[in-house]
């Protein structure tokens, strides 16, 4: 005998039958007005994933903020999830993301640099005065190093920088609406060609000069990467060329190390010397495309490059100009690649190394701006010319970015191996009036701090490591007896805390804990040293590994700065 049994579907009560509730859209809905605005803004630009950061810049530049509605519309337009777009936009400091329910951001932003040199020369006072006196429609915020340490203190009004800034001058600039970058005079394409520019590149492309010829010159000159790592340039090019093609090239112009500004000077004065070096490198490693990544704090350089690249004759690799968005971590080579791909700038684990698996998964040559800048001169003048410079048994030239308590700060092209005392006296006009030399940073924020008594160390690769320091990008910051070395170390640690990408615990938590401990009147030396060692041993990339260098060198060389007076004695 059979029985009729009512079939019950999952999550349905008996008696409800097959009747369903009316469906409603799930997830974040795209506002039609925002969608139309994004479509107009992007125009006929490609919607590729790697262009996400470029498209976010378009929104930021147009609306001075990025709303949740625009983020959702951009995600829909690019066929990406909202989460992908949101996490990328909120990673970078120069994207002002306004979440739902939050008030709009003021139409004009003034950024005041609070990194070491600006802090030494009145940046904190300038920030406070501007926050107290700025009127409606103006937002005043702190900013990490903007690469103008030789003009400290500095404020940025929109994209216009005010040098040796006073509050009155900054507000007057804002009132005038002077928010565009000032583009200095520079050597343009015609003048560069008239002076023999691009002849070396033409000879290379025609076969009159071979790849091996140029690689041998680079080897004989011992040119090393001048972004900070110091890897031999010729060996790097050979390594990339040894990988199976296709190959790509990326140029690291994210000069974010506090105290460093040499790349800005070269880009803003002689851009084609850098571009010719770039095209020579791309030809040698057979790179089909070159991605030139310039930090957003260098708007004049971006404008110059955009203008001058358009003047180059056809042929050779495709040059892609990419704009950073305010993230120091993107100066790390694998973070740079992630950012070029339109993602958060999170460092990759190594191996594989970028010369093996780099941009878009292809073998990639990565070079710094200044390294490429010198290629033409070294090849045309010969390695003997390069090696004829140098002091204290060192060879070559170095571009020292000098700032702080000297009469004439700036980029000083000097012999590699010069000492800090020679640099101050011969190239900087001596110490600033009323100041006595007390301490110095030989290699930027992460290069450590040394006392004036150690003023005879050659400043070059391999000479400072035994003292717990390194030359890095040759950013030299001079402190006087009026400056607190302990305060300088704290300023640097706060910078590293702010700029940590957050991917690994030793760096993310270590920099935060170190900054808290360093604020105490008396430092816990044992705990800070243990914390610094953990950061050096376990951080993924150079940011966390080197962040404790200022801390440990202050403990080693300046005991009277962090201990009670009776203990120091």
């Amino acid at each position: 005998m059979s029985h009729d049994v009512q079939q019950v579907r999952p999550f349905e009560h008996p008696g409800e039958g097959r009747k369903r509730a009316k469906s409603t859209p799930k997830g974040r809905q795209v506002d039609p007005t925002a969608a139309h605005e994004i479509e107009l803004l992007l125009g006929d630009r490609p919607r590729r994933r790697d262009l996400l950061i470029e498209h976010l810049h378009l929104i930021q530049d147009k609306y001075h903020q990025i709303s949740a509605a625009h983020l959702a519309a951009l995600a829909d337009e690019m066929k990406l999830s909202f989460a992908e777009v949101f996490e990328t936009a909120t990673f970078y400091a120069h994207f002002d993301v306004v979440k739902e329910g939050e008030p709009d951001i003021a139409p004009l932003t003034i950024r005041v640099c609070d990194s070491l040199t600006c802090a030494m020369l009145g940046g904190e006072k300038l920030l406070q005065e501007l926050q107290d006196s700025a009127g409606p429609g103006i937002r005043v915020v702190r900013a990490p190093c903007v690469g103008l340490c030789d003009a400290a203190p500095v404020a940025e009004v929109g994209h216009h920088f005010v040098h040796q800034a006073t509050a009155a001058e900054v507000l007057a600039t804002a009132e005038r609406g002077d928010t565009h970058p000032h583009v200095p005079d520079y050597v343009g394409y015609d003048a560069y060609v008239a002076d023999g520019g691009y002849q070396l590149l033409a000879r290379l492309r025609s076969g009159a000069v071979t790849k091996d010829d140029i690689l041998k010159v680079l080897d004989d000159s011992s040119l090393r990467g001048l972004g900070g790592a110091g890897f031999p340039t010729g060996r790097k090019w050979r390594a990339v060329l040894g990988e199976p093609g296709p190959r790509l090239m990326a140029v690291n112009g994210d000069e974010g190390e506090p105290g460093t500004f040499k790349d800005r000077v070269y880009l803003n004065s002689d851009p084609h010397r850098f571009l010719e070096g770039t095209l020579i490198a791309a030809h040698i490693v057979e790179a089909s495309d070159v991605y030139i990544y310039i930090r957003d704090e260098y708007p004049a350089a971006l404008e110059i490059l955009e203008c001058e690249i358009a003047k180059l004759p056809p042929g050779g690799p495709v040059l892609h100009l990419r704009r950073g968005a305010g993230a120091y971590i993107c100066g790390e080579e694998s973070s740079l690649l992630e950012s070029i791909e339109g993602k958060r700038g999170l460092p990759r684990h190594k191996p594989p190394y970028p010369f093996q698996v780099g941009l878009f998964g292809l073998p990639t040559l990565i070079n710094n701006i200044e390294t490429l800048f010198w290629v033409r001169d070294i090849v045309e003048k010969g390695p003997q010319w390069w090696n004829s410079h140098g002091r204290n048994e060192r060879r070559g030239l170095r571009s020292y970015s000098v700032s702080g308590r000297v009469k004439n700060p700036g980029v000083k092209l000097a012999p590699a191996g010069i000492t800090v005392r020679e640099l101050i006296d011969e190239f900087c006009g001596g110490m600033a009036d009323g100041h006595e030399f007390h301490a110095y940073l030989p290699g930027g924020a992460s290069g450590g701090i040394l006392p004036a008594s150690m003023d005879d160390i050659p400043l070059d690769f391999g000479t400072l490591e035994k003292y717990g320091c390194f030359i890095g990008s040759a950013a030299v910051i001079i402190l006087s007896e009026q400056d607190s070395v302990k305060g300088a170390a704290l300023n640097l640690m706060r910078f590293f805390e702010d700029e940590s990408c957050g991917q690994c615990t030793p760096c993310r938590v270590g920099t935060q804990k170190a900054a808290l401990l360093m604020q105490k009147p008396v430092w816990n030396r044992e705990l800070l040293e243990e914390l610094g060692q953990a950061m050096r041993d376990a951080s993924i990339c150079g940011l966390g590994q080197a962040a404790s260098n200022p801390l440990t060198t202050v403990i080693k060389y300046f005991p009277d700065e962090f201990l009670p007076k009776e203990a120091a004695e």
Side-chain angles (χ1 to χ4, degrees), residues 43 196 357:
V357 180

Side-chain angles (χ1 to χ4, degrees), residues 37-267:
E37 290 170 343
I38 293 299
E39 186 178 357
L40 288 177
L41 197 58
L42 267 58
D44 59 358
R45 294 177 175 85
R47 269 59 168 173
R48 298 195 317 268
R49 175 67 175 82
D50 63 290
L51 292 173
L52 173 58
I53 293 174
E54 295 297 305
H55 296 342
L56 288 168
H57 273 303
L58 292 175
I59 302 172
Q60 178 72 40
D61 290 345
K62 172 74 173 178
Y63 297 100
H64 309 293
Q65 63 180 34
I66 302 177
S67 68
H70 280 146
L71 282 180
L74 180 62
D76 184 68
E77 186 72 17
M78 297 186 69
K79 304 297 186 288
L80 299 171
S81 70
F82 181 83
E84 285 181 279
V85 177
F86 180 82
E87 70 178 11
T88 300
T90 53
F91 181 85
Y92 295 93
H94 289 188
F95 294 141
D96 296 317
V97 178
V98 179
K99 301 173 185 177
E100 290 182 356
E102 292 182 345
D104 287 346
I105 291 172
L108 178 63
T109 294
I110 296 175
R111 301 180 189 274
V112 180
C113 179
D114 69 352
S115 288
L116 182 55
T117 305
C118 282
M120 289 165 53
L121 297 175
E124 192 67 36
K125 179 183 176 184
L126 175 64
L127 175 68
Q128 189 62 57
E129 289 177 349
L130 287 171
Q131 288 177 335
D132 291 342
S133 55
I138 298 178
R139 178 181 63 145
V140 180
V141 298
R142 295 177 179 271
C145 186
V146 295
L148 283 163
C149 314
D150 52 337
V154 175
E156 182 183 11
V157 182
H159 285 299
H160 179 89
F161 291 95
V162 181
H163 300 181
Q164 286 93 33
T166 64
E169 185 180 4
V170 172
L171 292 174
T173 302
E175 188 174 341
R176 292 194 305 268
D178 192 0
T179 60
H180 298 288
H182 167 69
V183 178
D185 293 333
Y186 63 90
V187 180
Y189 177 77
D190 291 339
Y192 183 75
V193 171
D195 192 37
Y198 292 113
Q199 289 185 11
L200 176 59
L201 177 64
R203 292 170 62 208
L204 176 63
R205 288 176 173 175
S206 70
V209 173
T210 68
K211 294 181 180 180
D212 287 340
D213 291 336
I214 290 182
L215 288 170
K216 185 177 187 307
V217 170
L218 295 179
D219 290 339
D220 291 345
S221 70
S222 300
L223 178 66
R224 300 173 68 166
L226 299 174
F231 194 84
T233 303
R235 193 193 310 175
K236 178 182 280 193
W237 292 14
R238 291 179 193 276
V240 175
L241 188 57
E243 294 294 315
R247 306 177 194 91
L248 299 173
M249 181 176 175
V251 177
N252 190 343
D254 195 63
E255 186 178 48
E257 180 84 358
T260 311
F261 46 91
K262 60 185 178 59
D263 291 350
R264 169 184 60 81
V265 170
Y266 289 130
L267 287 174

Side-chain angles (χ1 to χ4, degrees), residues 148 236 238 241 255 306 326 372-373 452 464 476 532 540 555:
L148 283 163
K236 178 182 280 193
R238 291 179 193 276
L241 188 57
E255 186 178 48
E306 186 174 7
L372 297 166
F373 182 89
L464 292 153
V476 181
I540 290 174
I555 289 175

